Amino acid sequence: MKKALPAILLGFGLCGLIRPTAEPPQITLSNGLITTTLYLPDTAQGYYRGTRFDWAGAFKNLDYNGHSYIEQWFQHYDPFFHDAINGPAEEFTPLGFAEARPGDTFVKIGVGALRRANEKPYAFATVHTVANYGKRTVKTQKHAQFTDAVTFTHALTDASGYGYQYSKTVRLVKGKPELVLEHRLKNTGQKPIETSVYNHNFWIIDQQPTGPTVAIRFPFAVTGEGKGFGTTIVAQNKALTYTRNLNEREQVYSAGLQGFGPTVDSYDLRIENLKTGAGIHTTGDRPLEKLVYWACATTSCPEPYIHLKAKPGEEVTWTIKYEFYQTTAP
């Protein structure tokens, strides 16, 4: 169950945790079972103002049935740092970067039109200059006594020929411990849109450290290679498990887990804390393009990718569902 945050952060080595000096714009949603707070997009005071992740649906926290699932997972906060974002966080691969010359613009859906700085290859950790933030709106939805959904819209037209109308609804399902992310992307530009999008899933279950009490389960026989795989983290019995706790600055990483199939049935992931019995079941309605895995001492992150295409005038949709549940803790 939930522990006192300072004690757990000592175990993470994050006793010097730095947070915003003033509360950024935010909104709290509830369906009577789940309570979650999200930060609102804001170019001047927003919690996240980096140029990597979609600004819509930046989470502050999420609680269900006495368990916590989202916290600030990193130590030093900077609103412009590329991964200063928590919980389910989505990134689109860039549009038009390869064609852009230094000084020209390229597009990151959910962020805006960015200016290419030099001839170096694209790197998500680079903080790019924003040439055009586009136009954003935020609309909440209420059911009975609860504000249980919020829809973010982002419209952008860029001189590069790319344009879009993008909406993302964060919804808590009535009477169920479920969070749903509903997406709609319409190509309003002159060029076709082809991009990949993934959710980084920065989960922290009950503020517990990354180690043998964490299990990530799949509906297929998962395999993986990369940093820490086969030693610190092991693939067996359709699951990833840890052999020990990760050290403060240690990471594990695989650029591509294997074993998933070509249908939506493979977009079915579970992450559980075996000590507290809290779990998250993630499903999507599109086939996996790729499945990356990354973890540090505070968070374990399966990263499912999907591929999107939209000709001018076309619209694509996709949905991700998170079900929060209680296992039988040992």
Side-chain angles (χ1 to χ4, degrees), residues 198-215:
Y198 70 96
N199 203 309
H200 204 297
N201 293 313
F202 290 105
W203 299 116
I204 301 179
I205 300 180
D206 291 324
Q207 303 158 352
Q208 296 293 306
T210 302
T213 60
V214 177

Side-chain angles (χ1 to χ4, degrees):
M1 306 297 280
K2 289 183 70 174
K3 303 289 184 179
L5 182 60
I8 298 302
L9 290 178
L10 286 171
F12 287 164
L14 299 186
C15 53
L17 186 69
I18 298 175
R19 299 186 185 277
T21 55
E23 283 295 317
Q26 55 197 269
I27 186 171
T28 296
L29 307 180
S30 178
N31 64 354
L33 298 172
I34 296 173
T35 299
T36 184
T37 299
L38 293 91
Y39 294 113
L40 303 179
D42 190 289
T43 59
Q45 299 179 350
Y47 179 87
Y48 183 75
R49 283 170 273 164
T51 56
R52 177 183 179 183
F53 289 103
D54 174 15
W55 285 20
F59 286 80
K60 179 180 182 180
N61 53 47
L62 187 145
D63 297 284
Y64 163 67
N65 195 30
H67 296 283
S68 63
Y69 294 87
I70 296 172
E71 306 283 347
Q72 182 175 309
W73 64 271
F74 47 89
Q75 183 175 6
H76 298 289
Y77 171 73
D78 179 338
F80 299 101
F81 194 65
H82 70 91
D83 59 4
I85 195 167
N86 311 298
E90 295 173 285
E91 179 187 9
F92 294 81
T93 54
L95 302 175
F97 180 84
E99 298 80 17
R101 297 171 297 178
D104 291 345
T105 56
F106 66 98
V107 169
K108 287 275 286 190
I109 296 172
V111 181
L114 313 179
R115 202 167 297 284
R116 183 167 181 174
N118 50 47
E119 296 285 357
K120 294 181 180 179
Y122 178 78
F124 63 70
T126 301
V127 178
H128 299 275
T129 300
V130 181
N132 182 1
Y133 285 103
K135 296 181 180 179
R136 297 184 186 269
T137 62
V138 178
K139 183 179 180 180
T140 59
Q141 301 171 39
K142 193 170 183 178
H143 182 273
Q145 71 270 37
F146 299 114
T147 300
D148 56 9
V150 56
T151 297
F152 304 91
T153 61
H154 187 212
L156 179 76
T157 300
D158 184 55
S160 63
Y162 290 103
Y164 62 81
Q165 179 87 22
Y166 168 57
S167 71
K168 177 178 179 177
T169 298
V170 180
R171 184 185 310 280
L172 300 178
V173 179
K174 178 187 175 183
K176 295 182 179 180
E178 294 179 1
L179 165 71
V180 179
L181 306 182
E182 301 163 344
H183 310 79
R184 187 176 299 273
L185 176 66
K186 183 176 182 178
N187 186 344
T188 61
Q190 301 167 351
K191 293 182 177 180
I193 289 176
E194 184 168 1
T195 184
S196 296
V197 59
Y198 70 96
N199 203 309
H200 204 297
N201 293 313
F202 290 105
W203 299 116
I204 301 179
I205 300 180
D206 291 324
Q207 303 158 352
Q208 296 293 306
T210 302
T213 60
V214 177
I216 302 90
R217 308 189 191 281
F218 306 86
F220 49 83
V222 65
T223 60
E225 296 181 352
K227 187 175 182 179
F229 274 73
T231 53
T232 305
I233 190 168
V234 178
Q236 58 184 0
N237 300 325
K238 297 184 178 180
L240 296 177
T241 55
Y242 298 92
T243 58
R244 58 173 176 80
N245 283 356
L246 268 62
N247 298 322
E248 179 182 342
R249 291 179 172 81
E250 186 178 9
Q251 300 179 9
V252 298
Y253 175 73
S254 175
L257 299 180
Q258 301 298 316
F260 61 87
T263 69
V264 296
D265 294 340
S266 289
Y267 201 137
D268 189 324
L269 319 171
R270 293 178 183 266
I271 180 168
E272 298 172 352
N273 189 288
L274 306 180
K275 180 179 180 181
T276 70
I280 308 155
H281 182 202
T282 306
T283 53
D285 66 352
R286 284 181 174 263
L288 293 174
E289 176 191 28
K290 184 169 65 170
L291 185 56
V292 171
Y293 189 81
W294 178 86
C296 67
T298 56
T299 181
S300 293
C301 308
E303 303 173 30
Y305 283 68
I306 64 170
H307 196 69
L308 302 174
K309 288 184 178 181
K311 296 177 183 178
E314 286 187 342
E315 184 176 82
V316 291
T317 63
W318 68 102
T319 299
I320 304 171
K321 183 175 76 174
Y322 299 100
E323 177 190 2
F324 301 90
Y325 61 93
Q326 173 77 45
T327 67
T328 302

